[in-house]
Amino acid sequence: MLSDEQKLLVEKIGLMLESEGLSPAVSRVLGLLLVSDKVELTFDEIRETLNLSKSATSNALNIAIKLNRAEYITKPGDRKRYFKSKIELWREHVMDGFCKKCSWSKMFEEVLKHRTKETKDFNKAIKDLVNFLEYMGKELPKLYKEWESKTK
Amino acid sequence: MLSDEQKLLVEKIGLMLESEGLSPAVSRVLGLLLVSDKVELTFDEIRETLNLSKSATSNALNIAIKLNRAEYITKPGDRKRYFKSKIELWREHVMDGFCKKCSWSKMFEEVLKHRTKETKDFNKAIKDLVNFLEYMGKELPKLYKEWESKTK
DNA sequence: TTTATGGTTCTTCAGTTGCGGAACTAAAAA
DNA sequence: TTTTTAGTTCCGCAACTGAAGAACCATAAA
């Protein structure tokens, strides 16, 4: 099913996704869906290739689907589900992650509102951070749109 | 030491940082260092305010320091350490997080290199992602420099 | 020297997580 | 109607994590 190189790649992607907080099984399932020559894989193909139990496979797939990183399709006259990566959404996931960080500015603004006014330097550092996050929060969507228009 | 509102803020920041993968204690310590009217806090002030044990306080502070999110200073003729937030670095931490994501392009490029050439659409989606991440990886530092020069 | 201070390290323990195995279920096939 | 297929759900275990408590250590004060 997978060459040795492909297996290594699945593990590498696995580690990358684990570092993002995903569990080992979910990470490897998503890795497999990226690496496999077949774009659509059945439950059992995934289970066998990754040496997972049925329950682990089921849970991992459902989590991946809930995270909007995988989906499944069906085929007429075939009871199997065919699972595939939602690769087109990775871009948006990345952007969402960026924007989430930028929205922290609200939190820091609230901190600032409740801080003593005595600690000028410290407060200024927070204010700088707020400004920076707001700047990014405004510029990142612009950048995204620019890229979209460039690639159309 | 803390008003009720400040305590709530520490918890809110705590949740924010927990969502980034930090442990509860580390998250609250960093929250406290942002919210407290005193900018420099002693070990025992932190311990008492957050109702932590000495060991938990010690570990949380050392982790925060290792993560480059806190530091301590000392004062002549005083054995205590005074812990404070490295608030000025949050900006860079945010940028580092962004850049780390962009560097994923390498991984996807490697995936692409090993993929069958049969799956044109899928491969194109990956290639788009690579291009997007590389674009962001180039534009983000520009944006950062622009912001730096604007605020000087 | 002894004692107090300021923290660190070690051990323990409760809670959580991720996974496997087995039992279960719904729908289709025989 | 029974059996097979394609998964899901429940239970249990092993490994891990975070924090408490206590013992420990290094430095300074008495």
Side-chain angles (χ1 to χ4, degrees):
Chain A
M1 179 85 218
L2 290 192
S3 71
D4 287 356
E5 276 192 334
Q6 284 175 318
K7 282 178 196 164
L8 276 176
L9 258 179
V10 170
E11 290 307 312
K12 268 178 92 174
I13 298 172
L15 293 181
M16 182 178 96
L17 294 177
E18 276 185 53
S19 84
E20 291 295 293
L22 298 186
S23 75
V26 174
S27 302
R28 272 143 199 83
V29 166
L30 292 176
L32 172 60
L33 295 182
L34 277 186
V35 164
S36 161
D37 283 345
K38 279 199 220 175
V39 165
E40 296 159 2
L41 292 177
T42 68
F43 187 97
D44 268 325
E45 285 170 337
I46 295 167
R47 218 201 82 257
E48 280 168 31
T49 313
L50 297 178
N51 284 305
L52 288 174
S53 66
K54 286 178 82 175
S55 56
T57 308
S58 176
N59 286 324
L61 281 168
N62 287 322
I63 290 168
I65 288 167
K66 201 166 292 170
L67 292 176
N68 220 352
R69 296 190 165 278
E71 66 185 328
Y72 65 84
I73 58 170
T74 50
K75 303 185 178 185
D78 187 345
R79 276 207 276 154
K80 291 188 200 104
R81 296 173 185 169
Y82 291 82
F83 297 91
K84 51 186 295 196
S85 173
K86 279 203 163 187
I87 182 69
E88 344 75 60
L89 290 187
W90 280 64
R91 195 169 68 222
E92 288 161 44
H93 285 307
V94 169
M95 279 306 290
D96 287 352
F98 288 179
C99 291
K100 192 188 153 209
K101 277 255 174 78
C102 293
S103 71
W104 283 5
S105 61
K106 308 261 187 306
M107 181 86 256
F108 292 112
E109 229 164 11
E110 205 181 330
V111 169
L112 209 43
K113 210 176 68 190
H114 289 88
R115 281 198 64 79
T116 173
K117 268 59 192 173
E118 311 293 303
T119 57
K120 300 242 158 139
D121 287 0
F122 193 79
N123 295 18
K124 180 166 185 324
I126 297 182
K127 184 62 185 158
D128 282 353
L129 181 59
V130 169
N131 288 339
F132 173 69
L133 291 175
E134 284 181 347
Y135 177 74
M136 282 302 191
K138 271 205 313 200
E139 296 299 324
L140 281 176
K142 283 193 208 167
L143 218 50
Y144 187 62
K145 274 169 206 139
E146 233 170 89
W147 187 82
E148 271 185 323
S149 68
K150 262 185 49 177
T151 54
K152 255 199 303 250
Chain B
M1 180 87 217
L2 289 192
S3 70
D4 287 358
E5 277 192 331
Q6 284 176 317
K7 283 178 195 164
L8 277 176
L9 258 179
V10 170
E11 291 307 311
K12 270 177 91 173
I13 296 172
L15 293 181
M16 182 179 97
L17 294 177
E18 275 185 53
S19 84
E20 290 294 292
L22 299 186
S23 73
V26 174
S27 302
R28 271 140 199 86
V29 166
L30 291 175
L32 173 59
L33 295 182
L34 276 186
V35 163
S36 161
D37 283 344
K38 279 199 219 175
V39 166
E40 296 159 2
L41 292 177
T42 67
F43 187 96
D44 269 324
E45 284 169 339
I46 294 168
R47 220 201 81 257
E48 280 169 31
T49 311
L50 297 178
N51 283 305
L52 288 174
S53 66
K54 287 177 82 174
S55 57
T57 308
S58 177
N59 286 324
L61 282 169
N62 287 322
I63 290 168
I65 288 167
K66 202 167 292 173
L67 292 175
N68 220 352
R69 296 188 165 279
E71 65 184 329
Y72 65 85
I73 57 170
T74 50
K75 303 184 179 187
D78 186 346
R79 270 165 61 202
K80 292 187 198 101
R81 295 173 185 170
Y82 291 81
F83 297 91
K84 51 186 298 194
S85 173
K86 278 203 163 187
I87 182 67
E88 342 76 57
L89 290 188
W90 280 64
R91 194 168 67 223
E92 289 162 44
H93 285 306
V94 168
M95 279 306 290
D96 287 350
F98 287 179
C99 291
K100 191 187 154 209
K101 278 254 174 81
C102 293
S103 71
W104 283 6
S105 61
K106 308 263 187 307
M107 181 86 254
F108 292 112
E109 227 165 13
E110 204 180 330
V111 169
L112 209 43
K113 209 175 68 189
H114 289 89
R115 279 200 65 78
T116 172
K117 269 59 193 172
E118 311 293 303
T119 56
K120 299 242 158 138
D121 287 0
F122 194 80
N123 295 18
K124 178 166 186 325
I126 296 182
K127 184 63 186 160
D128 282 352
L129 182 58
V130 169
N131 288 339
F132 174 70
L133 291 175
E134 283 180 348
Y135 177 74
M136 282 302 191
K138 271 205 311 199
E139 295 299 324
L140 282 174
K142 283 192 207 167
L143 218 50
Y144 187 62
K145 275 169 204 137
E146 232 170 89
W147 187 84
E148 272 185 322
S149 68
K150 263 186 47 178
T151 53
K152 257 199 299 245

